[in-house]
């Protein structure tokens, strides 16, 4: 069992193979990197860092040694094989795991390259099976050439039963460029990705390291004392200076938000390329961690065209495909992160879906649903506002200052009005439609989006009604989509039943295993 | 081709479902009633201020709610689809076509086993309603339904 098989870069498999030898160095470095923060915390927490280098150095060396030793053992006991019917992986020293994944169950093969493996020219190959994140099969780290060969081999064997195989899978298949982002587009995208998440991170960091500050960061009195002490000049500068200061703070906020948005966007989407290959849509992106994903077209269950409340005014939209194979973190694959509808249309066409046109018969949600959602949003706040008003009147009658409760009443009323407008706006822009092949749902306020689903690929249909909806005769229609969600809200009950019957008849006519894909 | 199903009457669950839910609720309510009794003996408030409400809630939960739930639930086994209706306040009416079933479970908890009941669970690939459960079937019925659905799935696949 422990005969070392050299990792020969041949694609005719059948024999057990090892990952790259340098892979264990990469794993070791990553293990040490991951252990760095806990180690630091342990050193600080136990007070060992005050003992000087004589204590620290051996501890750090020990951590490094453990990191490299475990990664070497992991490498030593990891092997994989491409069999006739499945991919097999055996790993583990004490508890051995032998996993077999049949080729038909593999939804997608992706090649991922994080920063450190990239420096060594290594990649990690991941097999997505639709089982969900943690049960996914990954083979890492192997050389770039071997990773590409592995992917091609698995693809070829997988589509072997599908009878539609390309002539020679060894050669790089010809690709048609569908969408790419140049630097200018990337930077424009970054501007729209304005994000204040950096403050959440800073807050978290401050919470972690507040022992380094000489005072409690969240203590308002401490700030006042600081202002009264060395900062007392700030307080004496007068109103104009204070207003200037506030403006300065706001612009710092804006700049930080912009920089964060730009940074995250460039890191994620640098060199974005979407191509159509015989095996599906191929997407490459990333600055430090470069990812390369191929999405087989027949696995696409639904499309989502997203936008933002601001970027929509400038005609910018994004396109994602929903499939069983899930992207890291989010449930759908972004194929056009930021483009015009003219750029998105050809991609939609490639996926075999049709954008809604002038013939699409859009329906709005029931008016009763609008009235109910507005009432439900406003009622609690209106009651609270009336209560606050009552308190204010009582206070006035008793000769007490009533400005506090009065202000609260106005605030609650204003918030209630805002919620009412929001509910109305949501209803006003909510649309659904159904045609012979597809379902359409258009919804949203801050992030308006349009979902397009293929009727035959739906998994189940549910008509759901809350206590209000039952009395008032409307319902939500929830569709089971592999890899995503789709719901029509506030549909009159009769229409909901008709939609369900129509969808079910087209669903039941085609069996799951005989779905195109 | 199979019509809308919506007009057809639902098949009610096995009558033992009421008893099973009652027993389950009673087992759940028992610690609460005991807690109320303990508080009662502590004598913090006038007599009966803990036990009476606790007993009323427990009786309502044990006697009335299971019956209402039984009447709210139902299913309909079509030629190529299963319809499951449930919910007292929040109604849900789900249809799963057999052609989309990935795998099927027949579950039996200890209480269900005592009453000869079983729960049929259909798993689909959808994220919403990934598994649709139909409790309160007679064990033999559940097995028969499983076989029927499996036969359908197999026939479609071959």
């Amino acid at each position: 069992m422990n005969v070392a098989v050299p990792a020969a870069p041949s694609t005719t498999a059948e024999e057990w193979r090892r990952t790259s030898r340098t892979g264990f160095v990469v794993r070791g470095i990553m293990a040490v990197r991951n252990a760095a923060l806990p180690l630091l915390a342990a050193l600080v927490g136990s007070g060992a860092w005050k003992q000087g280098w004589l204590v620290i150095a051996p501890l750090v060396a020990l951590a490094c040694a453990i990191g490299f030793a475990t990664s070497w053992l992991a490498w030593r006991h990891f092997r994989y094989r491409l069999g006739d019917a499945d991919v097999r992986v055996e790993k583990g020293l004490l508890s051995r795991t032998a996993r077999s994944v049949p080729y038909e169950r593999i939804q997608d093969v992706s090649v991922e390259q994080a920063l450190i493996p990239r420096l060594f020219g290594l990649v990690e190959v991941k097999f997505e099976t639709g089982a969900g994140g943690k049960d996914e099969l990954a083979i890492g780290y192997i050389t770039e050439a071997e990773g590409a060969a592995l992917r091609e081999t698995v693809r070829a064997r997988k589509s072997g039963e599908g009878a539609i195989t390309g002539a020679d899978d060894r050669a790089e298949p010809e690709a048609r460029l569908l969408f790419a982002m140049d630097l200018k587009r990337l930077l424009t995208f970054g501007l729209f990705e304005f994000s204040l998440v950096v403050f959440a991170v800073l807050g978290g960091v401050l919470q972690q390291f507040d022992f380094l500050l000489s005072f409690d960061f969240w203590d308002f009195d401490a700030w006042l004392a600081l202002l009264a002490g060395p900062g007392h000049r700030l307080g004496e500068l007068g109103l104009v200076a204070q207003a200037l200061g506030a403006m300065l703070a706001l612009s710092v906020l804006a700049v930080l938000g912009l920089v964060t948005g730009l940074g995250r966007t460039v890191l994620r989407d640098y060199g974005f390329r979407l191509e159509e290959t015989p095996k599906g849509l191929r997407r490459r992106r990333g600055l430090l961690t470069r990812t390369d994903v191929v999405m087989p077209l027949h696995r696409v269950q639904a499309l989502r065209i997203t936008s933002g409340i601001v970027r929509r005014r400038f005609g910018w939209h994004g396109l994602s495909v929903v499939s069983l194979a899930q992207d890291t973190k989010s449930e759908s694959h972004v194929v056009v992160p930021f483009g015009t509808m003219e750029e998105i249309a050809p991609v939609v066409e490639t996926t075999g879906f049709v954008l809604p046109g002038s013939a699409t018969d859009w329906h709005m949600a029931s008016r009763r649903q609008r009235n109910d959602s507005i009432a439900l949003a406003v009622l609690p706040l209106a009651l609270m506002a009336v209560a606050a008003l009552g308190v204010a009147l009582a206070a006035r009658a008793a000769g007490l200052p009533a400005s506090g409760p009065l202000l609260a009443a106005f605030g609650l009323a204003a918030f209630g009005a805002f919620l009412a407008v929001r509910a109305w706006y949501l209803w006003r822009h909510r649309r659904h439609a159904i045609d012979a092949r597809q379902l359409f749902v258009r919804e949203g306020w801050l992030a308006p989006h349009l979902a397009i689903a293929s009727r035959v690929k739906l998994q189940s249909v549910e008509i759901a009604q809350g206590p209000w909806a039952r009395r008032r005769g409307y319902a939500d229609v929830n569709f089971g989509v592999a890899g995503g969600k789709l719901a029509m809200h506030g549909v009159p009950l009769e229409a909901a039943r008709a939609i369900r019957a129509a969808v079910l008849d087209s669903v039941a006519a085609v069996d799951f295993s005989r779905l195109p894909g | 081709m199979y019509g809308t199903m919506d007009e057809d009457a639902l098949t009610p669950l096995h009558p033992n479902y009421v008893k099973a839910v009652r027993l389950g609720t009673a087992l759940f309510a028992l610690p609460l009633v005991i807690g109320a009794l303990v508080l009662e003996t502590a004598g913090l408030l006038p007599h009966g201020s803990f036990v009476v409400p606790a007993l009323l809630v427990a009786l309502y939960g044990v006697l009335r709610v299971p019956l209402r739930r039984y009447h709210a639930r139902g299913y309909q086994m079509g030629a190529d689809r299963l319809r499951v209706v449930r919910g007292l306040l929040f109604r849900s009416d789900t249809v799963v076509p057999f052609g989309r079933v990935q795998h099927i479970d027949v579950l039996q908890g200890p209480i269900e086993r005592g009453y000869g009941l079983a729960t049929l669970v259909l798993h689909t690939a959808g994220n919403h309603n990934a598994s649709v459960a139909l409790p309160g079937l007679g064990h033999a019925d559940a097995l028969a339904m499983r076989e029927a659905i499996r036969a359908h799935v197999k026939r479609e696949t071959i």
Side-chain angles (χ1 to χ4, degrees):
Chain A
M1 190 197 91
N2 272 330
V3 185
V5 182
S10 70
T11 48
T12 49
E14 294 310 313
E15 79 260 24
W16 287 100
R17 287 198 259 165
R18 283 279 170 74
T19 54
S20 168
R21 234 169 250 281
T22 39
F24 98 84
V25 181
V26 171
R27 275 193 194 282
I29 292 173
M30 288 170 95
V32 168
R33 189 190 62 179
N34 290 344
L37 264 181
L39 187 68
L40 192 72
L43 283 177
V44 172
S46 63
W49 64 302
K50 289 185 190 131
Q51 311 277 319
W53 280 108
L54 245 74
V55 179
I56 298 173
L59 279 175
V60 171
L62 187 69
C64 290
I66 291 175
F68 278 97
T70 49
S71 66
W72 186 79
L73 281 175
W75 172 79
R76 191 81 182 72
H77 290 88
F78 184 101
R79 56 181 196 165
Y80 67 97
R81 187 175 79 168
L82 301 180
D84 286 330
D86 56 358
V87 183
R88 278 164 196 247
V89 165
E90 288 186 12
K91 60 180 173 182
L93 173 61
L94 296 176
S95 62
R96 273 190 85 67
T97 315
R99 177 167 293 165
S100 132
V101 180
Y103 289 121
E104 308 92 76
R105 284 283 173 273
I106 296 175
Q107 303 279 341
D108 199 1
V109 192
S110 63
V111 179
E112 204 170 296
Q113 202 172 29
L115 179 61
I116 295 173
R118 201 173 177 188
L119 297 176
F120 289 83
L122 298 177
V123 295
E124 190 173 23
V125 180
K126 286 185 173 167
F127 301 92
E128 293 173 18
T129 57
K134 59 180 182 297
D135 284 331
E136 231 123 50
L137 191 71
I139 296 177
Y141 291 94
I142 53 181
T143 59
E144 282 164 355
E146 219 181 322
L150 184 64
R151 167 148 90 167
E152 290 306 311
T153 315
V154 170
R155 288 248 174 79
R157 301 209 177 181
K158 185 173 139 48
S159 56
E161 305 97 27
I164 328 153
T165 324
D168 186 8
D169 290 307
R170 203 69 48 78
E172 185 73 11
E174 80 280 11
R176 184 168 71 95
L177 181 69
L178 284 174
F179 181 76
M181 289 208 298
D182 55 8
L183 199 62
K184 182 165 170 259
R185 174 68 63 86
L186 192 65
L187 294 179
T188 321
F189 183 27
L191 290 183
F192 281 97
E193 290 284 276
F194 179 88
S195 159
L196 289 176
V197 74
V198 66
F199 288 96
V201 174
L202 274 180
V205 168
L206 276 173
Q207 206 116 54
Q208 287 294 314
F209 294 98
D210 58 353
F211 59 87
L212 295 176
L213 288 170
S214 57
F215 62 96
D216 187 357
F217 184 77
W218 304 109
D219 188 356
F220 189 63
D221 289 340
W223 279 103
L224 279 185
L226 208 66
L227 215 59
H232 70 283
R233 280 184 297 137
L234 274 177
E236 293 167 358
L237 281 177
L239 208 61
V240 178
Q242 281 180 359
L244 275 177
M247 273 169 66
L248 193 70
L250 275 180
S251 37
V252 166
L253 209 69
V255 167
L256 267 176
L258 279 180
V259 168
T260 320
L262 275 172
R264 290 206 311 176
T265 310
V266 169
L267 281 180
R268 188 185 58 219
D269 285 331
Y270 181 80
F272 191 99
R273 273 180 83 81
L274 181 76
E275 291 164 344
E276 185 195 5
T277 68
K279 307 221 166 56
L281 294 176
R282 182 180 187 192
R283 184 192 74 187
R284 280 174 284 182
R285 65 173 185 179
L287 181 64
L288 296 180
T289 301
R290 199 130 175 92
T291 59
D292 183 350
V293 187
V294 175
M295 290 153 273
L297 281 178
H298 57 254
R299 302 234 175 249
V300 176
Q301 310 279 331
L303 297 182
R304 278 172 71 86
I305 296 174
T306 52
S307 195
I309 196 164
V310 179
R311 71 185 70 172
R312 199 181 52 176
R313 313 269 169 231
F314 296 89
W316 297 115
H317 300 266
L319 175 71
S320 320
V321 299
V322 178
S323 72
L324 258 183
Q326 291 177 0
D327 214 348
T328 38
K329 282 174 256 168
S330 82
E331 60 181 18
S332 49
H333 288 279
V334 177
V335 290
V336 178
F338 193 69
T340 59
M341 280 317 278
E342 288 78 48
E343 288 167 324
I344 288 175
V347 184
V348 171
E349 203 176 307
T350 313
T351 58
F353 283 79
V354 182
L355 284 172
S358 53
T360 310
D361 183 20
W362 290 105
H363 292 275
M364 296 185 78
S366 137
R367 274 171 200 283
R368 292 182 164 184
Q369 192 266 339
R370 172 194 63 187
N371 298 344
D372 292 358
S373 63
I374 292 177
L376 275 177
V378 170
L379 215 61
L381 284 165
L383 286 177
M384 278 153 68
V386 166
L389 205 63
V391 170
L393 287 178
R396 174 164 248 178
L400 291 168
S403 58
L406 210 59
L407 210 64
F410 276 118
L412 287 166
F415 190 51
F418 166 74
L419 285 185
V421 170
R422 178 176 174 273
W424 176 82
Y425 186 95
L426 278 173
W427 175 82
R428 185 80 188 70
H429 292 84
R430 180 179 292 150
R431 297 269 195 291
H432 62 261
I434 178 167
D435 67 15
R437 281 184 52 229
Q438 301 179 124
L439 294 174
F440 304 94
V441 176
R442 192 195 285 277
E443 230 173 31
W445 175 49
L446 284 177
H449 62 263
L450 165 71
I452 309 176
S454 162
R455 268 168 72 161
V456 291
K457 289 188 176 176
L458 296 175
Q459 305 286 327
S460 64
V461 190
E462 179 193 24
I463 293 180
Q465 289 180 294
W468 283 57
R470 263 173 80 199
R471 296 239 155 71
R472 311 266 285 158
Y474 59 87
D476 290 346
V477 190
N478 298 315
F479 300 95
V481 182
K485 279 189 191 127
L486 184 72
M488 296 175 176
H489 297 288
V491 186
L493 192 57
E494 285 309 309
R497 285 190 171 148
I499 290 171
R500 180 168 75 172
V503 167
L504 281 170
D505 277 334
S506 48
V507 169
V510 185
D511 186 73
F512 182 76
S513 53
R514 279 206 245 144
L515 273 179
Chain B
M1 58 182 154
Y2 291 97
T4 56
M5 291 177 100
D6 299 311
E7 293 79 33
D8 309 333
L10 293 172
T11 315
L13 300 180
H14 197 284
N16 277 358
Y17 178 65
V18 182
K19 298 178 194 163
V21 177
R22 277 189 179 147
L23 183 58
T25 319
L27 286 178
F28 178 78
L30 202 64
L32 297 180
V33 174
I34 292 175
L37 278 173
V38 170
L39 280 176
E40 191 73 24
T41 49
L44 296 170
L45 289 170
H47 282 302
S49 50
F50 288 110
V51 161
V52 173
L55 272 181
L56 281 178
V57 169
L59 278 179
Y60 182 74
V62 170
L63 295 179
R64 186 89 187 101
V65 174
L67 203 64
R68 291 191 59 194
R69 269 170 72 180
Y70 172 77
H71 287 302
R73 278 179 180 274
Y75 68 95
Q76 204 178 334
M77 182 91 172
D80 60 355
R81 61 190 73 166
L82 176 70
R83 177 175 175 215
V84 179
V85 178
R86 63 186 167 79
L88 273 175
L89 274 179
F90 292 87
R91 296 284 286 174
S92 151
D93 183 342
T94 309
V95 179
V96 184
F98 296 158
R100 295 294 176 277
V101 172
Q102 300 274 53
H103 55 275
I104 315 164
D105 289 338
V106 173
L107 309 174
Q108 261 193 315
I111 298 178
E112 286 182 310
R113 198 175 302 166
Y115 286 104
L117 296 174
T119 302
L120 183 75
V121 187
L122 302 186
H123 296 269
T124 72
N127 281 23
H128 185 90
N129 272 332
S131 48
V132 177
L134 175 58
L137 296 169
H139 189 227
D141 292 344
L143 292 181
M145 282 167 77
R146 179 179 71 181
E147 292 313 313
I149 296 170
R150 190 194 270 167
H152 186 98
V153 170
K154 202 182 245 171
R155 195 170 61 240
E156 290 275 324
T157 317
I158 292 167

